């Protein structure tokens, strides 16, 4: 591997030197090129992949906001040293299964904002991808066969698609994953063992889906989790043990759900730096609110938009700030002194 890296560096240096001595920097029409091996093509009139004039030592290629509708392995073979490929906001509706076979050093692939509906098996089995962005496409199904076993991916963004589920078999292959974004899809639930192999996961975004509940042990194996985004779902209640063992959790977003109260113990043992957002839930301010009310009273500095955590019921307490209530407001048989 070290020898190969040296060969790449030497080849790149020689190619750049040759261009500079010739006085002409090779560059495709409708694109701009830098001497640092970067090429950017962002003209809306671009229709075809810009093979002609593409410097062979190119390591970064960005084709964005064009009418490009087709890209093949043959196209990419013109830039064998490519490690960063951005193909966002184009007209791509499909990709060939061998797309990446001639770019073995590709590290980052961004396909945001295309028209992709279906991807073939093994599409991401080639190369050494670490970052894959498929945001804002039309994908209705995620296929485990996209990836090899023990994929090298550390970042996967599938947000803004039409996914109703994500198979456990797909996630089980992504053992190196550190960030997973599944937001703004149509997920209704997660399989109980879906996240069990993601021991390195630090950020999980499930916002903007249709989740109504979560399994008590869904995050049991994600002990490095530091950011958890669950806002804008339809969660009605949370298991008391949901966050158990997540000692590194720094940020939890639960706003815009259907939560009425918290189970006792849910937020116990949080770090002093822990932050949470709770607004936009129909909190019912009765005796079942005791745990969350006490936690808010003791930890107001850990809650963003605390003044917007208000009661939806009963009628007498509507729109009252939860943090401003007393034990008697909640119907509790405790004195304010005991709460303090």
């Amino acid at each position: 591997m070290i020898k190969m890296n040296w060969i790449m560096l030497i080849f790149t240096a020689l190619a750049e030197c040759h261009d500079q001595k010739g006085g002409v920097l090779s560059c495709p029409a409708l694109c701009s090129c830098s001497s640092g091996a970067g090429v950017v093509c962002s003209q809306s009139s671009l229709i075809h992949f810009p093979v002609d004039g593409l410097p062979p030592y190119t390591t970064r290629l960005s084709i964005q906001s064009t009418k490009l509708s087709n890209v093949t392995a043959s196209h990419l073979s013109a830039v064998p040293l490519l490690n960063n490929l951005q193909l966002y906001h184009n007209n791509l509706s499909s990709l060939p299964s061998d797309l990446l076979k001639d770019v073995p050093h590709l590290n980052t692939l961004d396909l945001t904002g295309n028209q992709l509906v279906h991807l073939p098996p093994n599409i991401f089995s080639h190369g050494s991808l670490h970052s894959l962005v498929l945001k804002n496409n039309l994908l209705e199904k995620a296929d485990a066969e996209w990836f090899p076993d023990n994929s090298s991916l550390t970042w996967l963004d599938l947000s803004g698609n039409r996914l109703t589920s994500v198979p456990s078999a797909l996630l089980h292959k992504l053992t190196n994953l550190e960030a997973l974004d599944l937001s703004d899809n149509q997920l209704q639930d997660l399989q109980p063992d879906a996240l069990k192999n993601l021991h390195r996961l630090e950020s999980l975004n499930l916002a903007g889906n249709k989740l109504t509940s979560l399994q008590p042990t869904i995050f049991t194996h994600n002990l490095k989790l530091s950011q958890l985004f669950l806002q804008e779902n339809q969660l009605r209640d949370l298991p008391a043990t949901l966050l158990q063992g997540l000692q590194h959790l720094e940020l939890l977003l639960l706003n815009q759900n259907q939560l009425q109260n918290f189970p006792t113990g849910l937020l116990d043992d949080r770090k002093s730096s822990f932050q949470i957002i709770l607004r936009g839930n129909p909190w019912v301010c009765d005796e079942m609110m005791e745990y969350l009310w006490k936690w808010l009273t003791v930890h107001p500095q850990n809650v963003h938009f605390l003044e917007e955590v208000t009661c939806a019921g009963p009628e007498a307490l509507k729109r009252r700030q939860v943090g401003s209530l007393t034990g008697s407001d909640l119907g509790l048989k405790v004195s304010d002194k005991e709460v303090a």
Side-chain angles (χ1 to χ4, degrees), residues 9-306:
L9 288 171
I10 292 170
F11 178 75
T12 301
L14 288 174
E16 289 186 355
C17 181
H18 179 269
D19 278 341
Q20 290 170 359
K21 285 182 177 180
V24 178
L25 184 66
S26 175
C27 193
L30 304 177
C31 300
S32 62
C33 301
S34 72
S35 58
V39 177
V40 177
C41 309
S42 58
Q43 299 294 321
S44 60
S45 56
L46 190 149
I47 298 175
H48 302 293
F49 191 91
V51 174
D52 292 340
L54 197 59
Y57 53 81
T58 298
T59 59
R60 301 183 308 278
L61 173 61
S62 176
I63 303 176
Q64 57 194 49
S65 304
T66 75
K67 293 183 175 65
L68 181 70
S69 60
N70 183 46
V71 59
T72 67
S74 177
H75 291 148
L76 296 184
S77 66
V79 281
L81 302 181
L82 200 64
N83 61 45
N84 188 315
L85 177 59
Q86 299 176 341
L87 294 171
Y88 47 85
H89 301 300
N90 296 295
N91 289 335
L92 299 172
S93 59
S94 63
L95 298 172
S97 60
D98 65 347
L99 178 66
L100 308 181
K101 74 180 182 67
D102 293 322
V103 282
H105 310 290
L106 192 69
N107 178 281
T108 300
L109 176 60
D110 190 336
L111 290 157
T112 296
N114 282 282
Q115 306 295 316
L116 298 171
V117 177
H118 170 77
L119 294 173
N122 302 314
I123 176 72
F124 305 121
S125 291
H126 308 284
S128 55
L129 273 182
H130 283 82
S131 176
L132 174 62
V133 181
L134 292 164
K135 180 178 181 178
N136 293 345
N137 277 278
L138 304 173
L139 297 170
E140 297 181 355
K141 180 182 179 182
D143 192 339
E145 298 307 310
W146 290 347
F147 302 103
D149 292 336
N150 297 318
S151 166
S152 57
L153 274 189
T154 60
W155 181 291
L156 175 60
D157 187 344
L158 282 164
S159 63
N161 281 282
R162 300 176 178 179
L163 303 175
T164 57
S165 64
V166 177
S168 295
L170 182 153
L171 297 177
H172 289 174
K173 292 183 173 184
L174 308 181
T175 56
N176 293 298
L177 210 60
E178 297 175 4
L180 174 61
D181 193 340
L182 295 170
S183 62
D184 299 320
N185 279 283
Q186 300 175 30
L187 303 179
Q188 298 181 16
D189 57 39
L190 292 176
Q191 297 177 12
D193 66 341
L195 308 176
K196 75 172 187 178
N197 283 2
L198 305 185
H199 301 294
R200 300 184 181 183
L201 194 66
E202 297 177 8
S203 177
L204 176 61
N205 194 340
L206 295 167
N209 281 287
K210 298 181 178 180
L211 300 172
T212 58
S213 63
L214 293 169
Q215 294 291 328
T217 58
I218 189 66
F219 304 128
T220 298
H221 303 283
N222 314 125
L223 301 183
K224 291 189 175 182
L225 203 60
S226 63
Q227 298 180 334
L228 180 55
F229 303 93
L230 296 170
Q231 73 271 25
E232 298 174 18
N233 277 282
Q234 299 171 22
L235 296 170
R236 300 189 186 99
D237 53 56
L238 299 174
T241 59
L242 184 68
L243 308 178
Q244 188 172 314
L246 302 185
Q247 299 300 316
H248 299 286
L249 193 63
E250 296 272 359
L251 180 63
L252 174 61
L253 270 59
L254 285 165
N255 45 297
Q256 276 72 47
N257 275 285
Q258 297 298 314
L259 298 169
Q260 297 186 358
N261 55 64
F262 270 5
T264 299
L266 180 67
L267 297 178
D268 287 0
D269 303 320
R270 293 299 102 200
K271 300 172 64 174
S272 60
S273 56
F274 174 73
Q275 298 292 305
I276 190 171
I277 300 181
L278 296 168
R279 66 180 180 178
N281 283 284
W283 303 110
V284 176
C285 297
D286 56 18
E287 65 277 3
M288 297 295 291
M289 181 61 82
E290 180 178 8
Y291 174 75
L292 179 57
W293 168 66
K294 286 184 175 179
W295 193 89
L296 293 175
T297 303
V298 176
H299 304 283
Q301 72 280 1
N302 298 96
V303 186
H304 288 283
F305 311 108
L306 178 62

Side-chain angles (χ1 to χ4, degrees), residues 310-340:
T310 58
C311 304
E315 189 67 31
L317 296 177
K318 269 190 174 182
R319 291 180 288 280
R320 284 278 302 276
Q321 292 181 22
V322 174
S324 71
L325 301 177
T326 64
S328 59
D329 288 330
L330 298 176
L332 302 176
K333 296 180 180 180
V334 294
S335 69
D336 293 339
K337 289 183 179 180
E338 288 176 332
V339 173

